[in-house]
Amino acid sequence: MNSEELASVLEMDGEERYDYFLSEVLEEREIWILVNSESRFLSIVSEDDGVAHLPVWPSSEFAVEYAKGADGLTPKSISLPDFFKKWVPGLAKDGLQVGVFPGADKTLWITKADELKKDLQDELSNF
């Protein structure tokens, strides 16, 4: 993906990026997160309402773009089956939501992990 394509996707609004995320994840069968040098995943707590979320991306290129300027963060892929079996229950247990695909303006779609799983499964049934 070239930088113009990357920029145009990042300029989409939150709902468009959510739809893009669903289609790309289903095609590649993986979700991308950022981890630090100790393999701890990046989680963000909103200053406005205190909601904690795990940001996720549809490809490593978008995660790398987001992490520019943040030392020590690297993209890590999670297979879709692993996300469904391990991450969704773990995120729910920890009270973490999922921040789907932050855009150029840092806006994102925040949802519960089980709702993202349901949306992905609904889309899978359309394949």
Side-chain angles (χ1 to χ4, degrees):
M1 176 176 295
N2 69 37
S3 59
E4 284 178 19
E5 291 170 327
L6 192 112
S8 74
V9 172
L10 288 172
E11 293 299 322
M12 292 176 175
D13 70 29
E15 192 168 345
E16 291 171 320
R17 282 194 321 276
Y18 189 80
D19 291 340
Y20 179 90
F21 174 87
L22 293 177
S23 66
E24 289 296 305
V25 166
L26 292 176
E27 195 169 303
E28 300 300 324
R29 299 289 200 260
E30 59 189 3
I31 290 174
W32 289 84
I33 62 171
L34 289 170
V35 296
N36 67 13
S37 58
E38 298 165 355
S39 294
R40 291 202 174 121
F41 64 84
L42 173 68
S43 65
I44 298 172
V45 178
S46 167
E47 292 175 13
D48 296 336
D49 53 18
V51 172
H53 68 273
L54 168 75
V56 296
W57 293 269
S59 72
S60 64
E61 293 94 342
F62 292 113
V64 165
E65 182 67 24
Y66 183 88
K68 278 187 180 170
D71 288 338
L73 290 177
T74 56
K76 175 179 171 51
S77 70
I78 301 169
S79 73
L80 209 50
D82 269 359
F83 183 75
F84 287 169
K85 281 189 254 170
K86 298 176 187 170
W87 283 80
V88 170
L91 291 168
K93 183 172 88 47
D94 294 344
L96 273 174
Q97 298 201 39
V98 181
V100 178
F101 199 2
D105 59 0
K106 303 294 185 209
T107 61
L108 69 162
W109 188 285
I110 294 184
T111 187
K112 292 182 177 173
D114 58 345
E115 289 186 24
L116 177 58
K117 177 183 177 180
K118 181 185 178 312
D119 286 349
L120 286 164
Q121 288 174 324
D122 288 349
E123 289 294 317
L124 267 174
S125 67
N126 295 332
F127 264 52

